Amino acid sequence: MSTKTFKAFYVEETEEGSFKSEVQQVPFSFLPKNEVLIRVRYSSLNYKDALSASGNKGVTRTYPHIPGIDASGIVQEDRSGTFSEGDEVIVTGRDLGSNTSGGFGEYISVPADWVVKLPEGLTLETAMFFGTAGFTAMYGVKRLQREQIDPEGGRVLVTGATGGVGSLAVFFLAELGYDVVAATGKMNEESFLKLLGAKEVINREQVTNVGNSLMLSRKWNGAIEAVGGEMLDAVIRQTNHDGAVACCGNILGHELNTNIYPFILRGVSLLGIDSAICKMPMRLKIWDSISKIDVSKLPNRFITTVHLEGLKDEVERILKGGQVGRVVVIHD
């Protein structure tokens, strides 16, 4: 097999320390020697992929590398005996696309315990409408539900609402009957967010420009907070008694400067979401929940499809904050 090649979006570090990416043929010997070989049919573009594609060594330690933290495809062989040739499967998270060759190649080789059989109700393509972003959003929903944040309890906030995680959190929550407030810096996308199901769309500054009081007026019963930094602090201070905030992003920063009073005087819960290392029983439950969502209700413009050759432009777009919705990568 080592003499054969496959097409991939391949990122290299130059002698000058810069990074270049191009679509090229890569030998199968580049793949790690894991149990399950999968022919990738679809992938998707996430912010983490864009970081890896641009040489961020906090995401990817060594180059050359093939990014892509999401993949759906068909099992070619499985030395573990867990899957059969021809099985349709999904791989998201774990180390895929970070330091293990990812879904921007036509093939991946991964451990068997990274692989999820495609649930009924999803196709290989629609699974990548959701991918890690949808998985993370649904994980946040389930964590809120575990804290008994139900639709009857009051409004639920979603920050970073036009991004992959945020937009799908809006959609999932609305489909489950919640009154969703979507916070965004892109107020020109208000109609798009309302198509996803948001009852109200607010400028993100309405959340963050609220002063330094240790606690603020209670505005929402729960939140899926997808950007971090000062936004997370502000959301915590505005959450209802016995409310909960699911935290899953750090675009605005990795530090959290807050105070203890929302936790000890209001009983607010801060819920961490680590979708990469989610244990398999929970992973299966999340994908099962996603498979029950009616994908036909997503707005037409929610999905942008590209082939590998179109990825470079989309990487630049997401790094500049210009992505809205999801970008699905199609392998020929």
Side-chain angles (χ1 to χ4, degrees):
M1 183 177 291
S2 60
T3 60
K4 295 182 180 180
T5 63
F6 62 95
K7 189 165 72 169
F9 182 83
Y10 191 72
V11 184
E12 297 179 272
E13 186 172 7
T14 68
E15 292 182 359
E16 295 77 23
S18 61
F19 293 85
K20 65 176 183 178
S21 59
E22 61 181 344
V23 178
Q24 65 180 62
Q25 292 294 318
V26 178
F28 270 84
S29 58
F30 185 78
L31 293 174
K33 299 185 185 305
N34 288 315
E35 296 160 322
V36 187
L37 179 67
I38 298 168
R39 169 68 164 93
V40 179
R41 300 305 305 273
Y42 298 92
S43 183
S44 66
L45 176 63
N46 303 276
Y47 187 71
K48 189 174 182 180
D49 299 319
L51 293 177
S52 176
S54 57
N56 186 308
K57 292 196 174 181
V59 175
T60 300
R61 292 188 296 272
T62 59
Y63 291 82
H65 178 61
I66 302 169
I69 65 173
D70 294 338
S72 64
I74 300 171
V75 173
Q76 304 298 292
E77 62 180 53
D78 177 13
R79 295 197 302 273
S80 76
T82 306
F83 299 93
S84 300
E85 181 180 353
D87 281 350
E88 294 184 320
V89 295
I90 306 167
V91 184
T92 60
R94 302 293 183 141
D95 191 52
L96 185 72
S98 294
N99 296 290
T100 300
S101 295
F104 295 169
E106 289 182 314
Y107 287 85
I108 58 173
S109 177
V110 297
D113 62 2
W114 291 12
V115 183
V116 172
K117 198 162 185 179
L118 184 73
E120 291 185 16
L122 290 175
T123 67
L124 293 176
E125 182 178 17
T126 58
M128 292 296 99
F129 288 6
F130 302 111
T132 290
F135 184 90
T136 303
M138 185 59 80
Y139 198 175
V141 172
K142 287 197 161 297
R143 289 300 305 274
L144 292 181
Q145 291 175 332
R146 188 185 299 175
E147 295 298 316
Q148 300 183 28
I149 308 301
D150 55 44
E152 292 73 33
R155 302 185 304 169
V156 173
L157 176 73
V158 176
T159 65
T162 59
V165 174
S167 56
L168 284 168
V170 170
F171 179 65
F172 290 156
L173 287 164
E175 285 296 296
L176 293 169
Y178 290 83
D179 286 344
V180 182
V181 179
T184 180
K186 301 172 184 173
M187 290 302 294
N188 59 311
E189 299 292 350
E190 179 177 2
S191 60
F192 168 71
L193 290 168
K194 288 190 172 179
L195 282 174
L196 286 171
K199 287 289 182 67
E200 183 181 357
V201 180
I202 62 174
N203 192 297
R204 63 189 177 196
E205 293 184 357
Q206 291 178 245
V207 182
T208 56
N209 289 352
V210 287
N212 297 319
S213 297
L214 296 177
M215 291 193 293
L216 297 160
S217 297
R218 294 170 289 180
K219 295 183 178 178
W220 29 76
N221 198 36
I224 295 181
E225 205 295 285
V227 296
E230 65 173 357
M231 178 70 77
L232 178 56
D233 166 52
V235 170
I236 290 168
R237 289 186 289 133
Q238 295 171 75
T239 298
N240 288 347
H241 187 82
D242 285 337
V245 179
C247 166
C248 58
N250 66 347
I251 293 173
L252 287 185
H254 65 275
E255 294 185 352
L256 174 59
N257 298 306
T258 193
N259 74 92
I260 198 169
Y261 289 114
F263 305 110
I264 65 172
L265 297 182
R266 286 184 180 167
V268 173
S269 297
L270 179 58
L271 313 172
I273 304 298
D274 181 5
S275 58
I277 312 297
C278 177
K279 294 179 181 178
M280 186 56 75
M282 186 63 175
R283 187 174 291 273
L284 294 174
K285 289 179 182 178
I286 291 168
W287 276 114
D288 182 65
S289 294
I290 291 172
S291 73
K292 292 178 170 58
I293 298 292
D294 186 354
V295 69
S296 70
K297 293 184 179 180
L298 286 168
N300 290 335
R301 60 166 296 208
F302 182 76
I303 302 297
T304 299
T305 58
V306 297
H307 295 271
L308 290 178
E309 290 77 8
L311 259 177
K312 188 176 290 189
D313 288 343
E314 294 299 332
V315 166
E316 293 178 2
R317 192 186 322 278
I318 195 172
L319 287 172
K320 293 177 181 177
Q323 182 184 355
V324 174
R326 296 280 288 153
V327 174
V328 174
V329 183
I330 304 172
H331 290 277
D332 297 321

